[in-house]
């Protein structure tokens, strides 16, 4: 996010910003908790997916510690079968695809009839396309990025037609 919002900032300063954000997030949990809320209908959708006998998996660019903190704050930790925190803010260009590597390894260990990827960013949708998944490009508000997704949605409940 810092690279996106501060494109002229050098790598050292990006790392300082990440460190400061992590420090604020971890040490000031009550402030963060006040402002971080789950997406509309997220709990309901995750519960319905699980009730249908399916797995809920989350992959994030944040650190594993940051992901756990977020999931605890929004009350979703118990609704997920598996999770992966890529810590993508600290990785070099070679390691940027670690989410895809993790997911490929995960999929090799499981036999799924269908794979559904829901993402709000183009690179997540592109990963889903490479893996042969059904892709849902989610945007709560604003314009969709230009990416080939099977579906473009702004309400998470639209995913439930797959269950």
């Amino acid at each position: 996010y810092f690279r996106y919002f501060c494109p002229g900032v050098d790598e050292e300063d990006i790392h300082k910003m990440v460190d400061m954000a992590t420090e604020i997030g971890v040490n000031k949990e009550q402030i963060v908790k006040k402002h971080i809320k789950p997406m509309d209908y997220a709990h309901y959708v995750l519960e319905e997916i699980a009730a249908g006998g399916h797995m809920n998996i989350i992959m994030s660019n944040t650190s594993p510690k940051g992901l756990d903190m977020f999931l605890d704050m929004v009350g979703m930790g118990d609704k997920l079968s598996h999770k992966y925190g890529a810590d993508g803010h600290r990785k070099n260009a070679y390691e940027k695809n670690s989410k895809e590597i993790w997911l490929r390894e995960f999929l090799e260990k499981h036999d799924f009839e269908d794979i559904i990827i829901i993402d709000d960013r183009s690179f997540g949708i592109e990963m889903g396309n490479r893996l042969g998944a059904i892709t849902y490009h989610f945007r709560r508000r604003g314009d969709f990025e230009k990416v080939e997704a099977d579906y473009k949605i702004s309400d998470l409940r639209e995913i439930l037609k797959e269950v």
Side-chain angles (χ1 to χ4, degrees):
Y1 298 110
F2 292 116
R3 283 186 186 94
Y4 176 78
F5 288 112
C6 306
V9 175
D10 66 33
E11 197 69 20
E12 183 179 338
D13 286 338
I14 293 288
H15 286 292
K16 287 178 185 175
M17 292 176 0
V18 169
D19 290 340
M20 181 61 73
T22 301
E23 182 180 333
I24 290 169
V26 172
N27 295 326
K28 308 293 184 198
E29 186 173 314
Q30 294 308 315
I31 295 170
V32 174
K33 196 173 198 174
K34 179 180 173 183
H35 299 284
I36 294 180
K37 305 290 182 217
M39 188 59 57
D40 294 343
Y41 308 108
H43 285 97
Y44 172 72
V45 169
L46 291 172
E47 289 164 1
E48 290 294 305
I49 290 169
H54 306 287
M55 280 189 194
N56 288 310
I57 300 168
I58 189 169
M59 297 185 307
S60 174
N61 285 325
T62 194
S63 69
K65 183 176 181 178
L67 180 58
D68 286 340
M69 185 177 77
F70 169 77
L71 294 173
D72 288 343
M73 280 191 265
V74 296
M76 285 195 221
D78 63 335
K79 295 178 181 7
L80 298 159
S81 308
H82 301 277
K83 59 188 174 182
Y84 176 68
D87 205 7
H89 308 293
R90 297 188 182 277
K91 297 190 184 297
N92 63 40
Y94 176 75
E95 299 167 310
K96 287 290 185 192
N97 66 347
S98 69
K99 288 196 306 188
E100 186 168 343
I101 292 168
W102 180 86
L103 185 56
R104 281 185 187 280
E105 291 173 357
F106 181 85
L107 294 172
E108 287 174 6
K109 297 174 189 170
H110 297 83
D111 185 28
F112 294 108
E113 186 175 322
D114 291 311
I115 303 159
I116 299 168
I117 301 251
I118 306 152
D119 209 309
D120 62 346
R121 302 296 306 267
S122 60
F123 51 83
I125 298 301
E126 290 164 353
M127 175 184 65
N129 290 335
R130 286 189 296 275
L131 295 172
I134 299 166
T135 55
Y136 282 81
H137 191 190
F138 175 76
R139 294 293 289 190
R140 183 173 60 178
R141 58 184 172 271
D143 295 331
F144 286 92
E145 293 178 80
K146 291 188 182 346
V147 65
E148 292 295 320
D150 295 307
Y151 303 96
K152 294 184 182 277
I153 62 171
S154 56
D155 184 328
L156 289 173
R157 294 173 295 180
E158 292 181 57
I159 294 156
L160 296 177
K161 68 182 179 185
E162 302 288 347
V163 178

